[in-house]
Structure formats: C-alpha cells, structure tokens
Amino acid sequence: MALLRMPTTLKRGVGRKILSFFLLAALLPLAFTASLAYLEVDRGMRQDIGRTLRADAKDYGLDLVNRLQSTVGAADDIVKMYSVEGLAGLQTHQFLYDDFENVWLETADGSTHVLAGISGTRPTFVRSAAARVESAAMQLLNSSRHNDGLPTMSRPAVGPSGSAA
C-alpha cells in the first residue's frame, strides 16, 4: 500500500524535497570521502614510487662506480704491461682485454694498432692523439662516430723504449 502512494508523494513538492535532501545527505559525504581517499592513495603511491626510484638510482650509481673502477684497474694493467713489455707483450696477453669491447694503441705519430675488437670500430675524436698524450691524464671521451657518443677511455702510456702512446 505504501508503494502505491510513492508516485503521488513524489509529485508533491514536500515529498520531492525530502527525498532530494535524503539523497543529498547520503551521496555528498560519500563523494567527499571517496575523493579524499583517492587523493591519499595517490599521494602514498607517489611517495612509494619516489622512494623506490631513489633506491634504484643509488644502486645503479654504485654499480656504475664499481664498473668504472674495475675498468680503470684493467686499463692500469694494460698500461703497465705496455710499459714493461711493449706492443708485443700487449698482443700476447689477450686476457687483459676482457673488460673492453675494443682496445687499440694510438702512437703520438698517429699510427694505430688494434689489440682487441674489430679493427674498423675506432671512433674519431676532435682532439688528436698527440694532444691527448701530452695532457698526461686519463680522459673519458665521447666518440663522434655515427653520432652515437660511445664513451671511450683514453690513457697515456710510455713504452719500454720511452716512446709515448
């Protein structure tokens, strides 16, 4: 019987207003609570992602530093071998090149000796070999071959005869 009176109640102004206020009282706090929950979940996720990215970046940076230190150590071994035994010693100790894709010796007069890797992969640099050898410091350079910017380590070395390379 009450269901039959519902359409007539909704047609009147008072019944419609009461029903509207009940719906508004139910939906407005629900929408407000849902929006606050969404914003809080979004903020929490952003903080978690930020923490994860910082931790991953730190791990990646430490791994990169370890790899660079290992590479510098391997380059030191190559330079020591060259200073003791010269070019012939470098060609007989191929295990020294395991950490590198390509290794070549460029003398101050411009001649190049490929020690490991593919012979045609020598990148071009802006500065000449003589200028790099005269600087007497290890340098990390970017190659300009095919605009790929490969990182290349340049190490000055002095052979057993005192010639710079």
Side-chain angles (χ1 to χ4, degrees):
M1 190 83 155
L3 291 176
L4 295 175
R5 291 186 187 168
M6 185 63 93
T8 57
T9 305
L10 292 177
K11 288 181 182 175
R12 296 181 187 163
V14 175
R16 197 174 333 159
K17 286 181 183 178
I18 291 174
L19 184 63
S20 302
F21 285 136
F22 274 128
L23 288 175
L24 186 65
L27 294 179
L28 188 63
L30 182 67
F32 182 72
T33 305
S35 63
L36 283 178
Y38 175 79
L39 292 174
E40 184 62 27
V41 167
D42 181 57
R43 185 184 64 82
M45 288 179 67
R46 286 182 189 270
Q47 286 178 349
D48 288 345
I49 289 171
R51 271 186 249 124
T52 303
L53 285 176
R54 277 192 295 278
D56 288 347
K58 181 180 177 182
D59 290 343
Y60 182 75
L62 290 173
D63 183 45
L64 185 62
V65 166
N66 288 335
R67 287 173 44 203
L68 285 172
Q69 287 174 344
S70 171
T71 304
V72 167
D76 287 341
D77 293 341
I78 292 172
V79 169
K80 286 176 189 174
M81 182 62 67
Y82 177 70
S83 65
V84 173
E85 296 185 22
L87 185 59
L90 288 177
Q91 292 172 342
T92 59
H93 295 88
Q94 294 292 321
F95 67 90
L96 292 172
Y97 312 128
D98 290 342
D99 293 337
F100 302 98
E101 286 184 26
N102 298 309
V103 177
W104 65 91
L105 178 69
E106 185 175 341
T107 59
D109 63 357
S111 63
T112 302
H113 304 280
V114 177
L115 303 173
I118 303 168
S119 62
T121 59
R122 181 182 169 273
T124 56
F125 300 102
V126 176
R127 295 174 56 200
S128 67
R132 286 195 308 271
V133 170
E134 288 171 5
S135 69
M138 179 182 70
Q139 298 176 7
L140 188 62
L141 306 169
N142 282 335
S143 68
S144 59
R145 183 178 58 98
H146 306 298
N147 293 326
D148 53 5
L150 295 173
T152 304
M153 183 188 307
S154 172
R155 296 289 308 252
V158 177
S161 64
S163 61

PDB file of all heavy atoms in Angstrom, residues 12-38:
ATOM      1  N   ARG A  12       4.233  15.708  -5.276  1.00  0.00           N
ATOM      2  CA  ARG A  12       4.048  16.864  -4.421  1.00  0.00           C
ATOM      3  C   ARG A  12       5.405  17.492  -4.106  1.00  0.00           C
ATOM      4  O   ARG A  12       6.422  16.825  -4.081  1.00  0.00           O
ATOM      5  CB  ARG A  12       3.362  16.469  -3.123  1.00  0.00           C
ATOM      6  CG  ARG A  12       1.962  15.950  -3.369  1.00  0.00           C
ATOM      7  CD  ARG A  12       1.330  15.614  -2.064  1.00  0.00           C
ATOM      8  NE  ARG A  12       0.054  14.967  -2.314  1.00  0.00           N
ATOM      9  CZ  ARG A  12      -0.594  14.277  -1.420  1.00  0.00           C
ATOM     10  NH1 ARG A  12      -0.094  14.136  -0.215  1.00  0.00           N
ATOM     11  NH2 ARG A  12      -1.753  13.744  -1.711  1.00  0.00           N
ATOM     12  N   GLY A  13       5.450  18.720  -3.826  1.00  0.00           N
ATOM     13  CA  GLY A  13       6.693  19.445  -3.574  1.00  0.00           C
ATOM     14  C   GLY A  13       7.409  19.033  -2.307  1.00  0.00           C
ATOM     15  O   GLY A  13       8.634  18.935  -2.276  1.00  0.00           O
ATOM     16  N   VAL A  14       6.683  18.760  -1.241  1.00  0.00           N
ATOM     17  CA  VAL A  14       7.299  18.436   0.037  1.00  0.00           C
ATOM     18  C   VAL A  14       7.971  17.073  -0.028  1.00  0.00           C
ATOM     19  O   VAL A  14       9.109  16.892   0.415  1.00  0.00           O
ATOM     20  CB  VAL A  14       6.239  18.471   1.174  1.00  0.00           C
ATOM     21  CG1 VAL A  14       6.845  18.012   2.488  1.00  0.00           C
ATOM     22  CG2 VAL A  14       5.648  19.847   1.313  1.00  0.00           C
ATOM     23  N   GLY A  15       7.312  16.079  -0.604  1.00  0.00           N
ATOM     24  CA  GLY A  15       7.878  14.732  -0.718  1.00  0.00           C
ATOM     25  C   GLY A  15       9.122  14.726  -1.588  1.00  0.00           C
ATOM     26  O   GLY A  15      10.113  14.046  -1.299  1.00  0.00           O
ATOM     27  N   ARG A  16       9.084  15.460  -2.659  1.00  0.00           N
ATOM     28  CA  ARG A  16      10.238  15.554  -3.556  1.00  0.00           C
ATOM     29  C   ARG A  16      11.432  16.209  -2.865  1.00  0.00           C
ATOM     30  O   ARG A  16      12.567  15.772  -3.005  1.00  0.00           O
ATOM     31  CB  ARG A  16       9.841  16.358  -4.790  1.00  0.00           C
ATOM     32  CG  ARG A  16      10.788  16.169  -5.939  1.00  0.00           C
ATOM     33  CD  ARG A  16      10.339  16.846  -7.203  1.00  0.00           C
ATOM     34  NE  ARG A  16       8.902  16.997  -7.276  1.00  0.00           N
ATOM     35  CZ  ARG A  16       8.263  17.863  -8.026  1.00  0.00           C
ATOM     36  NH1 ARG A  16       8.943  18.651  -8.796  1.00  0.00           N
ATOM     37  NH2 ARG A  16       6.958  17.963  -8.039  1.00  0.00           N
ATOM     38  N   LYS A  17      11.163  17.233  -2.085  1.00  0.00           N
ATOM     39  CA  LYS A  17      12.242  17.913  -1.367  1.00  0.00           C
ATOM     40  C   LYS A  17      12.854  17.005  -0.302  1.00  0.00           C
ATOM     41  O   LYS A  17      14.071  16.951  -0.152  1.00  0.00           O
ATOM     42  CB  LYS A  17      11.737  19.197  -0.719  1.00  0.00           C
ATOM     43  CG  LYS A  17      11.509  20.303  -1.707  1.00  0.00           C
ATOM     44  CD  LYS A  17      11.040  21.547  -0.998  1.00  0.00           C
ATOM     45  CE  LYS A  17      10.747  22.638  -1.997  1.00  0.00           C
ATOM     46  NZ  LYS A  17      10.235  23.849  -1.364  1.00  0.00           N
ATOM     47  N   ILE A  18      12.023  16.282   0.427  1.00  0.00           N
ATOM     48  CA  ILE A  18      12.537  15.394   1.474  1.00  0.00           C
ATOM     49  C   ILE A  18      13.391  14.295   0.847  1.00  0.00           C
ATOM     50  O   ILE A  18      14.481  13.984   1.328  1.00  0.00           O
ATOM     51  CB  ILE A  18      11.373  14.804   2.300  1.00  0.00           C
ATOM     52  CG1 ILE A  18      10.727  15.901   3.131  1.00  0.00           C
ATOM     53  CG2 ILE A  18      11.853  13.679   3.198  1.00  0.00           C
ATOM     54  CD1 ILE A  18       9.477  15.461   3.875  1.00  0.00           C
ATOM     55  N   LEU A  19      12.917  13.696  -0.242  1.00  0.00           N
ATOM     56  CA  LEU A  19      13.686  12.650  -0.923  1.00  0.00           C
ATOM     57  C   LEU A  19      14.991  13.217  -1.475  1.00  0.00           C
ATOM     58  O   LEU A  19      16.054  12.580  -1.380  1.00  0.00           O
ATOM     59  CB  LEU A  19      12.858  12.026  -2.054  1.00  0.00           C
ATOM     60  CG  LEU A  19      13.510  10.870  -2.785  1.00  0.00           C
ATOM     61  CD1 LEU A  19      13.756   9.705  -1.829  1.00  0.00           C
ATOM     62  CD2 LEU A  19      12.669  10.423  -3.947  1.00  0.00           C
ATOM     63  N   SER A  20      14.953  14.409  -2.021  1.00  0.00           N
ATOM     64  CA  SER A  20      16.167  15.051  -2.538  1.00  0.00           C
ATOM     65  C   SER A  20      17.174  15.302  -1.422  1.00  0.00           C
ATOM     66  O   SER A  20      18.374  15.070  -1.591  1.00  0.00           O
ATOM     67  CB  SER A  20      15.834  16.377  -3.214  1.00  0.00           C
ATOM     68  OG  SER A  20      14.927  16.188  -4.260  1.00  0.00           O
ATOM     69  N   PHE A  21      16.717  15.762  -0.271  1.00  0.00           N
ATOM     70  CA  PHE A  21      17.622  16.006   0.859  1.00  0.00           C
ATOM     71  C   PHE A  21      18.223  14.709   1.393  1.00  0.00           C
ATOM     72  O   PHE A  21      19.383  14.654   1.764  1.00  0.00           O
ATOM     73  CB  PHE A  21      16.909  16.766   1.971  1.00  0.00           C
ATOM     74  CG  PHE A  21      16.716  18.226   1.662  1.00  0.00           C
ATOM     75  CD1 PHE A  21      15.502  18.858   1.924  1.00  0.00           C
ATOM     76  CD2 PHE A  21      17.743  18.991   1.111  1.00  0.00           C
ATOM     77  CE1 PHE A  21      15.325  20.196   1.638  1.00  0.00           C
ATOM     78  CE2 PHE A  21      17.559  20.331   0.832  1.00  0.00           C
ATOM     79  CZ  PHE A  21      16.348  20.932   1.094  1.00  0.00           C
ATOM     80  N   PHE A  22      17.417  13.626   1.435  1.00  0.00           N
ATOM     81  CA  PHE A  22      17.952  12.330   1.864  1.00  0.00           C
ATOM     82  C   PHE A  22      19.043  11.846   0.903  1.00  0.00           C
ATOM     83  O   PHE A  22      20.101  11.359   1.325  1.00  0.00           O
ATOM     84  CB  PHE A  22      16.846  11.280   1.966  1.00  0.00           C
ATOM     85  CG  PHE A  22      16.132  11.282   3.274  1.00  0.00           C
ATOM     86  CD1 PHE A  22      14.746  11.351   3.315  1.00  0.00           C
ATOM     87  CD2 PHE A  22      16.819  11.209   4.476  1.00  0.00           C
ATOM     88  CE1 PHE A  22      14.075  11.359   4.525  1.00  0.00           C
ATOM     89  CE2 PHE A  22      16.158  11.206   5.680  1.00  0.00           C
ATOM     90  CZ  PHE A  22      14.771  11.285   5.709  1.00  0.00           C
ATOM     91  N   LEU A  23      18.797  11.977  -0.388  1.00  0.00           N
ATOM     92  CA  LEU A  23      19.808  11.555  -1.376  1.00  0.00           C
ATOM     93  C   LEU A  23      21.052  12.426  -1.283  1.00  0.00           C
ATOM     94  O   LEU A  23      22.178  11.932  -1.348  1.00  0.00           O
ATOM     95  CB  LEU A  23      19.226  11.598  -2.790  1.00  0.00           C
ATOM     96  CG  LEU A  23      18.198  10.519  -3.133  1.00  0.00           C
ATOM     97  CD1 LEU A  23      17.627  10.769  -4.524  1.00  0.00           C
ATOM     98  CD2 LEU A  23      18.821   9.154  -3.044  1.00  0.00           C
ATOM     99  N   LEU A  24      20.832  13.714  -1.114  1.00  0.00           N
ATOM    100  CA  LEU A  24      21.969  14.628  -0.982  1.00  0.00           C
ATOM    101  C   LEU A  24      22.762  14.330   0.293  1.00  0.00           C
ATOM    102  O   LEU A  24      23.997  14.311   0.279  1.00  0.00           O
ATOM    103  CB  LEU A  24      21.469  16.072  -0.982  1.00  0.00           C
ATOM    104  CG  LEU A  24      22.533  17.160  -0.983  1.00  0.00           C
ATOM    105  CD1 LEU A  24      23.331  17.103  -2.277  1.00  0.00           C
ATOM    106  CD2 LEU A  24      21.895  18.510  -0.816  1.00  0.00           C
ATOM    107  N   ALA A  25      22.092  14.033   1.371  1.00  0.00           N
ATOM    108  CA  ALA A  25      22.746  13.713   2.637  1.00  0.00           C
ATOM    109  C   ALA A  25      23.511  12.395   2.547  1.00  0.00           C
ATOM    110  O   ALA A  25      24.498  12.196   3.246  1.00  0.00           O
ATOM    111  CB  ALA A  25      21.718  13.652   3.761  1.00  0.00           C
ATOM    112  N   ALA A  26      23.070  11.492   1.696  1.00  0.00           N
ATOM    113  CA  ALA A  26      23.757  10.200   1.557  1.00  0.00           C
ATOM    114  C   ALA A  26      24.914  10.287   0.566  1.00  0.00           C
ATOM    115  O   ALA A  26      25.986   9.713   0.793  1.00  0.00           O
ATOM    116  CB  ALA A  26      22.769   9.128   1.107  1.00  0.00           C
ATOM    117  N   LEU A  27      24.732  10.970  -0.548  1.00  0.00           N
ATOM    118  CA  LEU A  27      25.736  10.964  -1.619  1.00  0.00           C
ATOM    119  C   LEU A  27      26.854  11.980  -1.425  1.00  0.00           C
ATOM    120  O   LEU A  27      27.990  11.720  -1.814  1.00  0.00           O
ATOM    121  CB  LEU A  27      25.060  11.198  -2.970  1.00  0.00           C
ATOM    122  CG  LEU A  27      24.109  10.098  -3.430  1.00  0.00           C
ATOM    123  CD1 LEU A  27      23.491  10.473  -4.768  1.00  0.00           C
ATOM    124  CD2 LEU A  27      24.826   8.771  -3.534  1.00  0.00           C
ATOM    125  N   LEU A  28      26.563  13.106  -0.842  1.00  0.00           N
ATOM    126  CA  LEU A  28      27.591  14.134  -0.690  1.00  0.00           C
ATOM    127  C   LEU A  28      28.736  13.679   0.229  1.00  0.00           C
ATOM    128  O   LEU A  28      29.906  13.781  -0.159  1.00  0.00           O
ATOM    129  CB  LEU A  28      26.964  15.438  -0.190  1.00  0.00           C
ATOM    130  CG  LEU A  28      27.884  16.646  -0.167  1.00  0.00           C
ATOM    131  CD1 LEU A  28      28.338  16.981  -1.581  1.00  0.00           C
ATOM    132  CD2 LEU A  28      27.193  17.827   0.461  1.00  0.00           C
ATOM    133  N   PRO A  29      28.486  13.144   1.415  1.00  0.00           N
ATOM    134  CA  PRO A  29      29.615  12.656   2.230  1.00  0.00           C
ATOM    135  C   PRO A  29      30.342  11.485   1.578  1.00  0.00           C
ATOM    136  O   PRO A  29      31.558  11.357   1.703  1.00  0.00           O
ATOM    137  CB  PRO A  29      28.957  12.214   3.547  1.00  0.00           C
ATOM    138  CG  PRO A  29      27.659  12.901   3.590  1.00  0.00           C
ATOM    139  CD  PRO A  29      27.236  13.092   2.169  1.00  0.00           C
ATOM    140  N   LEU A  30      29.599  10.645   0.860  1.00  0.00           N
ATOM    141  CA  LEU A  30      30.219   9.518   0.175  1.00  0.00           C
ATOM    142  C   LEU A  30      31.176  10.011  -0.917  1.00  0.00           C
ATOM    143  O   LEU A  30      32.308   9.524  -1.031  1.00  0.00           O
ATOM    144  CB  LEU A  30      29.147   8.611  -0.426  1.00  0.00           C
ATOM    145  CG  LEU A  30      29.640   7.362  -1.135  1.00  0.00           C
ATOM    146  CD1 LEU A  30      30.265   6.412  -0.127  1.00  0.00           C
ATOM    147  CD2 LEU A  30      28.500   6.689  -1.865  1.00  0.00           C
ATOM    148  N   ALA A  31      30.757  10.994  -1.691  1.00  0.00           N
ATOM    149  CA  ALA A  31      31.617  11.547  -2.738  1.00  0.00           C
ATOM    150  C   ALA A  31      32.824  12.262  -2.138  1.00  0.00           C
ATOM    151  O   ALA A  31      33.952  12.136  -2.646  1.00  0.00           O
ATOM    152  CB  ALA A  31      30.813  12.507  -3.613  1.00  0.00           C
ATOM    153  N   PHE A  32      32.621  12.995  -1.058  1.00  0.00           N
ATOM    154  CA  PHE A  32      33.719  13.695  -0.395  1.00  0.00           C
ATOM    155  C   PHE A  32      34.733  12.702   0.162  1.00  0.00           C
ATOM    156  O   PHE A  32      35.946  12.860  -0.013  1.00  0.00           O
ATOM    157  CB  PHE A  32      33.151  14.587   0.716  1.00  0.00           C
ATOM    158  CG  PHE A  32      34.188  15.385   1.428  1.00  0.00           C
ATOM    159  CD1 PHE A  32      34.807  16.466   0.809  1.00  0.00           C
ATOM    160  CD2 PHE A  32      34.553  15.074   2.737  1.00  0.00           C
ATOM    161  CE1 PHE A  32      35.771  17.207   1.467  1.00  0.00           C
ATOM    162  CE2 PHE A  32      35.511  15.807   3.398  1.00  0.00           C
ATOM    163  CZ  PHE A  32      36.121  16.880   2.760  1.00  0.00           C
ATOM    164  N   THR A  33      34.257  11.639   0.824  1.00  0.00           N
ATOM    165  CA  THR A  33      35.142  10.616   1.381  1.00  0.00           C
ATOM    166  C   THR A  33      35.888   9.879   0.276  1.00  0.00           C
ATOM    167  O   THR A  33      37.090   9.595   0.406  1.00  0.00           O
ATOM    168  CB  THR A  33      34.327   9.618   2.226  1.00  0.00           C
ATOM    169  OG1 THR A  33      33.602  10.342   3.219  1.00  0.00           O
ATOM    170  CG2 THR A  33      35.225   8.600   2.892  1.00  0.00           C
ATOM    171  N   ALA A  34      35.208   9.573  -0.813  1.00  0.00           N
ATOM    172  CA  ALA A  34      35.866   8.881  -1.930  1.00  0.00           C
ATOM    173  C   ALA A  34      36.954   9.748  -2.554  1.00  0.00           C
ATOM    174  O   ALA A  34      38.038   9.258  -2.888  1.00  0.00           O
ATOM    175  CB  ALA A  34      34.833   8.494  -2.979  1.00  0.00           C
ATOM    176  N   SER A  35      36.709  11.041  -2.692  1.00  0.00           N
ATOM    177  CA  SER A  35      37.733  11.917  -3.279  1.00  0.00           C
ATOM    178  C   SER A  35      38.929  12.067  -2.340  1.00  0.00           C
ATOM    179  O   SER A  35      40.080  12.065  -2.788  1.00  0.00           O
ATOM    180  CB  SER A  35      37.142  13.283  -3.637  1.00  0.00           C
ATOM    181  OG  SER A  35      36.696  13.946  -2.467  1.00  0.00           O
ATOM    182  N   LEU A  36      38.689  12.169  -1.039  1.00  0.00           N
ATOM    183  CA  LEU A  36      39.807  12.227  -0.091  1.00  0.00           C
ATOM    184  C   LEU A  36      40.617  10.932  -0.106  1.00  0.00           C
ATOM    185  O   LEU A  36      41.852  10.955  -0.057  1.00  0.00           O
ATOM    186  CB  LEU A  36      39.295  12.493   1.324  1.00  0.00           C
ATOM    187  CG  LEU A  36      38.896  13.933   1.647  1.00  0.00           C
ATOM    188  CD1 LEU A  36      38.364  14.025   3.078  1.00  0.00           C
ATOM    189  CD2 LEU A  36      40.063  14.871   1.471  1.00  0.00           C
ATOM    190  N   ALA A  37      39.938   9.788  -0.177  1.00  0.00           N
ATOM    191  CA  ALA A  37      40.640   8.500  -0.227  1.00  0.00           C
ATOM    192  C   ALA A  37      41.473   8.400  -1.500  1.00  0.00           C
ATOM    193  O   ALA A  37      42.620   7.932  -1.466  1.00  0.00           O
ATOM    194  CB  ALA A  37      39.639   7.355  -0.154  1.00  0.00           C
ATOM    195  N   TYR A  38      40.928   8.855  -2.624  1.00  0.00           N
ATOM    196  CA  TYR A  38      41.668   8.820  -3.891  1.00  0.00           C
ATOM    197  C   TYR A  38      42.926   9.679  -3.798  1.00  0.00           C
ATOM    198  O   TYR A  38      44.016   9.259  -4.209  1.00  0.00           O
ATOM    199  CB  TYR A  38      40.773   9.285  -5.034  1.00  0.00           C
ATOM    200  CG  TYR A  38      41.496   9.402  -6.342  1.00  0.00           C
ATOM    201  CD1 TYR A  38      41.769   8.278  -7.103  1.00  0.00           C
ATOM    202  CD2 TYR A  38      41.922  10.641  -6.806  1.00  0.00           C
ATOM    203  CE1 TYR A  38      42.444   8.377  -8.299  1.00  0.00           C
ATOM    204  CE2 TYR A  38      42.599  10.749  -8.002  1.00  0.00           C
ATOM    205  CZ  TYR A  38      42.855   9.612  -8.743  1.00  0.00           C
ATOM    206  OH  TYR A  38      43.529   9.727  -9.926  1.00  0.00           O
TER     207      TYR A  38
END
